[in-house]
Amino acid sequence: MAHRVTFIPGDGIGPEVAWAARRCLEATGVAFAWDERPAGEAAIKAFNTPLPPDTLASIRETRVAIKGPVTTPIGTGFRSVNVALRKALNLYACLRPCRSFEGVRSPWRDVDLVVVRENTEDLYAGIEFPAKDEQTLTLIKQLKEWTQQPIQDDAAISIKPISRTASERIIRFACDYALAHGRKKVTAIHKANIMKYTDGLFMETARRVGEAYRGRLTVEDRLVDATCMQLVLKPQDFDVLVLPNLYGDILSDLCAGLIGGLGVAPGANLGDGVAVFEAVHGSAPKYAGQNKVNPTAMILSGVLLLEHLGEREAAARLERAVRDVLREGRAVTYDLKADRNDPAAVGTKEMAAAIAERLRHDKVPV
Ligand code: NAD
């Protein structure tokens, strides 16, 4: 029977990379029944909201979606559709595998790590107070009284909730993922030496949860700043990383850089029984509509989708097709060429077509 999947093209470069991924997913021979739904700018035009209730309802029903990136205007306008989706569907875990690709220029050849980011709380919880607002001034006055700490009266304030519940849930998720995927080590990342209560709680939880995995996994913890340096110097020392939301967002991009950039970094947002697959990169508006950007990250997010659906053989074939095309380095987009102005670079559609074509010649189960 066909897999029912909600298909959200997104905006900016979203539709181009989402359709490229859809084309490659269909080329695996797996049957899909797509339910296409808008989000972002297209949805604002048609429904006056960036995240129409029907889009959410569709994901609630199909339990699985693949989504192109969506633009979040900075400072003004609507809050992030991505954050809203994660909250509404309780997609508490963000999974971002980073593996080196032959043929892709990068500082390292043998990176193989997985970033697991907590998706629901931390400074990304959206609890913010604008500068000079009446409520903010009241809050500042109260905080000064409670803490005896100086805070400028014209400060804006963001709240960083880190709970034992969400920390334990994400650390267990990372450990269970590590065990299920034959990985050996989970490193919990924090800044507990400075943020003793919030990051301290995350660190303590990692140590406590880690005890339950003793003998099966190494569970360690490290400071976020030291980890950034170590990742750049020796990424081979890491296996699965588990982080609160903000550090997770930043280190995902850092790790994408270790394997050749955002163009090749896939991702998944997972909750209990619901999953939304999307690239790490955003909507890169300056490239929208040019058939120029790299579809690899979205196509590899499609590989994660296939694995989630239990289509392991098709997932392996699609990943192999992507790796083959990257290794050959011919039918690839500008960002993967040694010279970004190389006239031999192909477009988004053409790269997806090359991967789909490769799949047609690879029908042998792995
Ligand atoms: P971005 O990832 O969209 O783009 C940054 C740069 O990375 C681009 O200018 C481009 O040079 C490169 N890049 C990104 N994707 C690429 C691809 N597929 N192929 C080749 N090069 C690629 O980041 P940004 O400019 O900070 O964000 C643009 C918008 O996207 C913002 O509104 C942001 O909020 C949003 N965003 C959305 C998501 C999402 O929907 N999940 C994720 C991140 C950012």
Side-chain angles (χ1 to χ4, degrees), residues 127-170:
I127 308 169
E128 292 206 281
F129 299 87
K132 296 196 163 171
D133 192 82
E134 204 180 315
Q135 262 190 337
T136 316
L137 290 170
T138 311
L139 180 65
I140 289 173
K141 191 162 168 267
Q142 182 68 76
L143 287 171
K144 279 180 171 170
E145 261 176 54
W146 280 338
T147 65
Q148 305 298 311
Q149 298 283 352
I151 306 175
Q152 300 283 1
D153 283 339
D154 57 358
I157 307 260
S158 292
I159 304 287
K160 169 171 166 144
I162 299 271
S163 69
R164 195 180 297 276
T165 307
S167 300
E168 180 157 347
R169 182 173 61 179
I170 197 68

Side-chain angles (χ1 to χ4, degrees), residues 5-9 18 21-22 25 34 64-68 275-278 298-299 301-303 305:
V5 176
T6 304
F7 177 71
I8 304 171
R22 179 163 159 174
L25 283 166
W34 303 105
V64 54
I66 185 159
K67 169 187 159 294
V276 176
F277 296 85
E278 62 181 348
M298 262 318 272
I299 296 170
S301 303
V303 170
L305 165 82

Side-chain angles (χ1 to χ4, degrees), residues 13 67 69-72 82 86 262-263 278-287 293-294 334-335:
I13 58 167
K67 169 187 159 294
V70 171
T71 307
T72 308
N82 307 303
R86 289 168 201 165
L262 287 173
E278 62 181 348
V280 173
H281 66 72
S283 59
K286 69 178 175 191
Y287 293 115
V293 295
N294 189 346
Y334 77 99
D335 55 310

Side-chain angles (χ1 to χ4, degrees), residues 6-208:
T6 304
F7 177 71
I8 304 171
D11 61 34
I13 58 167
E16 296 162 59
V17 291
W19 276 97
R22 179 163 159 174
R23 175 175 191 174
C24 291
L25 283 166
E26 286 171 352
T28 62
V30 171
F32 291 96
W34 303 105
D35 186 19
E36 186 173 337
R37 299 284 168 172
E41 280 163 6
I44 295 180
K45 277 189 200 125
F47 301 99
N48 213 20
T49 165
L51 183 58
D54 282 359
T55 299
L56 262 181
S58 169
I59 307 174
R60 287 203 168 100
E61 200 196 323
T62 61
R63 316 297 290 168
V64 54
I66 185 159
K67 169 187 159 294
V70 171
T71 307
T72 308
I74 296 174
T76 61
F78 55 87
R79 290 198 78 87
S80 163
V81 165
N82 307 303
V83 174
L85 254 181
R86 289 168 201 165
K87 275 190 165 180
L89 300 169
N90 197 20
L91 301 168
Y92 60 83
C94 179
L95 185 74
R96 292 172 165 177
C98 287
R99 277 176 67 192
S100 300
F101 298 94
E102 222 182 302
V104 176
R105 274 167 303 111
S106 67
W108 295 101
R109 284 172 171 274
D110 48 359
V111 175
D112 181 7
L113 51 84
V114 180
V115 176
V116 177
R117 164 184 168 192
E118 205 287 325
N119 244 351
T120 65
E121 48 182 31
D122 196 355
L123 284 165
Y124 281 26
I127 308 169
E128 292 206 281
F129 299 87
K132 296 196 163 171
D133 192 82
E134 204 180 315
Q135 262 190 337
T136 316
L137 290 170
T138 311
L139 180 65
I140 289 173
K141 191 162 168 267
Q142 182 68 76
L143 287 171
K144 279 180 171 170
E145 261 176 54
W146 280 338
T147 65
Q148 305 298 311
Q149 298 283 352
I151 306 175
Q152 300 283 1
D153 283 339
D154 57 358
I157 307 260
S158 292
I159 304 287
K160 169 171 166 144
I162 299 271
S163 69
R164 195 180 297 276
T165 307
S167 300
E168 180 157 347
R169 182 173 61 179
I170 197 68
I171 291 160
R172 282 194 187 283
F173 176 95
C175 292
D176 292 340
Y177 175 91
L179 284 180
H181 291 80
R183 292 187 172 264
K184 303 277 179 271
K185 186 168 76 173
V186 173
T187 308
I189 312 294
H190 56 80
K191 188 71 181 165
N193 55 337
I194 305 294
M195 278 167 281
K196 299 198 184 292
Y197 297 134
T198 48
D199 285 30
L201 182 60
F202 191 81
M203 181 193 75
E204 269 170 48
T205 309
R207 291 182 179 176
R208 181 170 48 77

Side-chain angles (χ1 to χ4, degrees), residues 189-191 193 223-230:
I189 312 294
H190 56 80
K191 188 71 181 165
N193 55 337
L223 292 172
V224 63
D225 41 359
T227 302
C228 288
M229 189 188 68
Q230 287 302 329

Side-chain angles (χ1 to χ4, degrees), residues 12 72 117 180 193 219 294 296 309 326-327 347:
T72 308
R117 164 184 168 192
N193 55 337
V219 180
N294 189 346
T296 303
L309 294 173
L326 291 175
R327 186 182 326 106

